[in-house]
């Protein structure tokens, strides 16, 4: 069902933006609970979209930290090269 996925994704993206802006990391759960009172199907699609966004954020943070560490290590080894 394309409509449910589109609605859930849009709301999830807006929620992630608000969570970042206001520092409320539980906002998505409150919204999910509110949605569930009228549409359990939309609630599940929304929570799935939120979990995907949150997992991507964690993965991206780890990736960026890992790359920074690898670049720092590579930089240190370049500094030791007398050539």
């Amino acid at each position: 069902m394309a409509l449910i996925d589109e609605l859930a994704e849009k709301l999830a993206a807006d929620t992630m933006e608000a969570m970042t802006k206001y520092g409320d990391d539980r906002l998505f759960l409150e919204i999910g609970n509110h949605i569930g009172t009228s549409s359990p199907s939309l609630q599940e699609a929304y929570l799935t979209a939120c979990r995907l966004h949150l997992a991507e954020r964690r993965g991206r943070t780890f990736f960026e930290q890992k790359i920074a560490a690898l670049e720092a290590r590579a930089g240190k080894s370049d500094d030791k090269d007398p050539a």
Side-chain angles (χ1 to χ4, degrees):
M1 191 182 279
L3 178 59
I4 196 167
D5 293 330
E6 289 175 26
L7 294 172
E9 173 54 33
K10 174 67 173 131
L11 184 56
D14 291 346
T15 302
M16 295 298 112
E17 187 177 316
M19 286 171 53
T20 298
K21 182 176 181 178
Y22 299 110
D24 184 351
D25 63 346
R26 308 301 280 174
L27 180 61
F28 79 100
L29 293 173
E30 292 179 49
I31 294 171
N33 288 336
H34 190 74
I35 293 169
T37 62
S38 56
S39 177
S41 298
L42 181 58
Q43 178 189 36
E44 185 55 37
Y46 166 77
L47 290 174
T48 297
C50 287
R51 287 190 296 269
L52 290 171
H53 280 276
L54 292 168
E56 190 277 337
R57 282 184 182 183
R58 284 191 292 272
R60 181 151 312 276
T61 297
F62 177 78
F63 170 74
E64 290 170 355
Q65 291 171 346
K66 188 70 172 175
I67 293 302
L70 290 169
E71 287 177 351
R73 187 170 46 184
K76 287 180 184 177
S77 66
D78 289 346
D79 291 343
K80 294 178 184 177
D81 187 10

